[in-house]
Amino acid sequence: CLAAEEISNRKFPSSFLWGTATAAYQVEGAWDEDGKGESMWDHWVHDDPSRVDDQKNGDVACDSYHKWREDIELLKELGVKLYRFSISWPRIHPTGYPDSYNQAGVDHYLEFIKALLEADITPLVTLYHWDLPQTLNEQGGWLNDSTAERFGEYARVAFEKFGPYVKLWATINEPKTTCTLGYGQGQMAPGLSDIAEGIYQCARVQLLAHATAYHIYHDEFASQGGKISLVIDSTYNEPLDPNSEADIEATEWEFEFNLGWYANPVYVGDWPQVMIERIGRRSEQEGYSKSRLPAWSAEEVEFVRGTHDYFGLNIYTALAVQGIDEPGFGGSASYYNDKGTSTSSRADWTKSVASWLVSYPYGMRGLLNYVWNHYTPGEIYVTENGWASEADISDQLRVDYLQGYLSNMLDAILEDGVQVSGYTTWSLMDNFEWARGYTQRFGIIQVDFESEERTRTFRDSATWYQRTARTYCLVEECIE
Ligand code: GBH
């Protein structure tokens, strides 16, 4: 637990944008209203409720599709200037194809976006936060190259309709999570377990989709003058034993196989060299005629390279990384064996109720510097960062987490010269936490999912965040 004395009274730059984040399927509900099509998450949770810990789903969630005016009031009360939310693709193209265009879905978001602007809140709009139209899923989803074209068609409609009001876009949220958990390990929709090949094909198609939308925006909507990028999540990694050569090398592999997997094609060009080498070598030993990592053509490398106007970074947690001995370079054909690392938590990193999420505040500074130095993005938005707790108004651990991570962000900004323009904490309010259902709470605002009204209540962390967004400072002493 960080004592307040350790956090200084330095201030964030006055241009810094304080915000919060959500995603359509996690908050909206109204899963089949006003012409919306079925998404692969609707399908996945309805088909077999046991896929979610509490057997619940996002049919109603926070009911934000109806309660959006109340959500905007909360944002105003928090005093934030930035709201990251996502558009549900099947509300715009219910079948995933443009001929299924749904005006009611467009009208809903238009009304919402205009109300945000009226409240002086900048929208940061994610086009895809995991709710693929089910029709496209049935045609192979993110394993099918044509999904990239469908995504482009949907993005074009979004730019056309919302672009006059929206100047900050994110194409795809965390492609790694979708590919790893949805196509590699079967824990998220669509539930495929193709850890050897599908996981890499998924990455390829999502990167093509991202680049397609980026080019459409800059070729056809340049006059709108906005920015568009990909949102990538990463852990902060450090060697388990800082004196071990093997652990130091493995730490770099851990970065490249997670963050670099998506950032390298976009910011540098092509897959990270270590992925090309390791997966190529292993595939050959396994008897594949070509690498399980699909090669890009020279044309594709150029198509994807440079498709960024900022870096969208989600950071939650940290890993201590160990090099694994690879006698004979063996093991089954799998992303995890390709990566060849072993990861764990240090004992002194505070644990949350989510098994994967620990607090290591320095990780924020470390990761911001890593991204800044490796990819020279010019500008970073931290598009997600947050803490998992029980349903409780008193959430001191979340306050400690936010304070520690933001203090390290301030170090990166003021001492290391990293340009961080804005921050949208995850999350504005408790919501449907995917396979964890409603068992883990990420909101600074609590939601009562038992009540018809889905009553929203400020947690201690919301009150803390409200003061921080007002004073641009992490300690109470800053208040004049
Ligand atoms: C974010 O991902 C998502 O963008 C957001 O929708 C979500 O609500 C939020 O996290 C909180 O979870 O279950 O052990 O297999 C953050 C990165 C990557 C963290 C996948 C959880 C699953 C670990 N996530 N990871 S495990």
Side-chain angles (χ1 to χ4, degrees), residues 203-250:
R204 197 184 98 83
V205 179
Q206 290 208 44
L207 284 162
L208 287 174
H210 156 76
T212 301
Y214 181 93
H215 289 299
I216 288 174
Y217 188 69
H218 283 283
D219 294 348
E220 302 173 26
F221 300 93
S223 65
Q224 291 183 355
K227 295 176 183 174
I228 183 164
S229 266
L230 181 65
V231 167
I232 306 177
D233 64 300
S234 182
T235 51
Y236 176 66
N237 309 312
E238 58 180 34
L240 182 66
D241 172 359
N243 298 315
S244 153
E245 284 299 326
D247 291 3
I248 292 169
E249 185 176 45

Side-chain angles (χ1 to χ4, degrees), residues 23 26 84 129-130 173-174 176-177 181 185 187-188 233 314 316 355-356 384 426 431-434 436 442:
Q26 296 180 270
R84 175 175 181 241
H129 201 124
W130 309 353
N173 179 70
E174 297 189 0
K176 182 187 78 184
T177 306
L181 298 183
Q185 298 195 141
Q187 291 166 15
M188 281 189 169
D233 64 300
N314 291 356
Y316 285 85
S355 59
W356 55 273
E384 280 181 40
W426 188 272
N431 54 54
F432 179 70
E433 180 50 26
W434 308 110
R436 302 286 83 77
F442 277 87

